[in-house]
Amino acid sequence: NAGVTQTPKFQVLKTGQSMTLQCAQDMNHNSMYWYRQDPGMGLRLIYYSASEGTTDKGEVPNGYNVSRLNKREFSLRLESAAPSQTSVYFCASRRQGKGAGELFFGEGSRLTVL
Amino acid sequence: LAKTTQPISMDSYEGQEVNITCSHNNIATNDYITWYQQFPSQGPRFIIQGYKTKVTNEVASLFIPADRKSSTLSLPRVSLSDTAVYYCLFSGGYNKLIFGAGTRLAVHP
């Protein structure tokens, strides 16, 4: 049981390049999330998907797009990378339950934009 | 937007009890309070969740007063391996899960 899998784990981009971060979960969860974490800081919500076919903006959506391809997969795309997007990106899925439920996180994707 | 306030950092020693408080003044009636632990280079991990009064599991206790405007995570007899960042979280609209800045706990020998 892999849980939440993110690819790639590391990536270096030049300013203006584009890329897609992939995320897949095998726990049959409805909700999925993308967060970014800058060095020494907390997690900030970029986008989330409450269910297959829906996506919503989080706290810091500018410069990103997402696709909920199916129930398992939720991708994050940077169309034109900027140095300010250098960060660790975490994908999570949520087990439904009372209240906020429980989030399960991937190992993170470390992105550097030069 | 839902917002939480926690101390930025705390220090403790092995074997002591640690209490970390989170303020959430605008918590909604149907919100639960959830706490996560994060080690360096890892994603956060769920610790405990509660709605009111007290909840206890194998790793921590969570105390929530009647007005629910704050909550306290209690870690009994901490060890060096409890050094981590601790986040409280509640839903800013059920699915929109916003983390606070977190509390960096350092446990010393």
Side-chain angles (χ1 to χ4, degrees):
Chain A
N1 192 341
V4 178
T5 303
Q6 293 182 229
T7 56
K9 288 184 171 51
F10 299 92
Q11 183 72 50
V12 179
L13 291 177
K14 294 181 180 179
T15 297
Q17 288 185 318
S18 62
M19 78 158 297
T20 299
L21 300 178
Q22 306 286 354
C23 176
Q25 52 95 6
D26 61 2
M27 295 173 284
N28 201 36
H29 292 164
N30 287 324
S31 303
M32 297 185 72
Y33 300 78
W34 276 106
Y35 292 89
R36 63 175 287 178
Q37 186 171 37
D38 299 336
M41 305 295 286
L43 291 94
R44 290 185 291 171
L45 180 63
I46 306 172
Y47 270 95
Y48 65 102
S49 170
S51 62
E52 183 179 354
T54 69
T55 60
D56 286 285
K57 295 179 180 180
E59 302 173 272
V60 289
N62 292 343
Y64 304 95
N65 286 302
V66 290
S67 295
R68 185 71 184 270
L69 304 171
N70 47 55
K71 192 171 186 178
R72 291 186 64 249
E73 299 172 289
F74 187 37
S75 62
L76 178 72
R77 183 163 178 81
L78 287 70
E79 292 291 349
S80 180
S84 61
Q85 294 178 304
T86 294
S87 190
V88 180
Y89 292 84
F90 288 103
C91 176
S93 67
R94 180 165 69 100
R95 178 167 64 188
Q96 300 292 128
K98 293 179 181 178
E102 180 177 349
L103 289 169
F104 292 83
F105 284 83
E107 295 181 348
S109 296
R110 285 151 183 79
L111 175 66
T112 301
V113 183
L114 303 175
Chain B
L1 190 65
K3 186 161 179 65
T4 60
T5 303
Q6 305 173 231
I8 294 173
S9 63
M10 296 181 69
D11 288 276
S12 184
Y13 292 90
E14 285 189 290
Q16 290 188 334
E17 178 184 73
V18 171
N19 296 307
I20 306 174
T21 298
C22 176
S23 298
H24 25 78
N25 290 328
N26 57 345
I27 190 170
T29 303
N30 60 346
D31 278 330
Y32 281 64
I33 298 119
T34 314
W35 284 80
Y36 285 80
Q37 176 191 55
Q38 185 181 27
F39 296 114
S41 302
Q42 295 184 22
R45 182 181 70 169
F46 174 90
I47 301 175
I48 197 167
Q49 176 174 272
Y51 185 80
K52 61 181 178 181
T53 62
K54 177 182 176 182
V55 178
T56 298
N57 63 20
E58 63 276 9
V59 297
S61 295
L62 179 59
F63 299 90
I64 304 168
D67 66 6
R68 302 193 341 110
K69 293 186 182 300
S70 66
S71 61
T72 299
L73 175 73
S74 181
L75 304 172
R77 298 178 298 281
V78 294
S79 65
L80 296 177
S81 63
D82 292 314
T83 293
V85 180
Y86 292 83
Y87 297 94
C88 69
L89 172 152
F90 68 98
S91 169
Y94 195 54
N95 288 304
K96 191 173 185 178
L97 304 180
I98 306 293
F99 282 81
T103 297
R104 194 171 299 271
L105 173 66
V107 180
H108 305 282

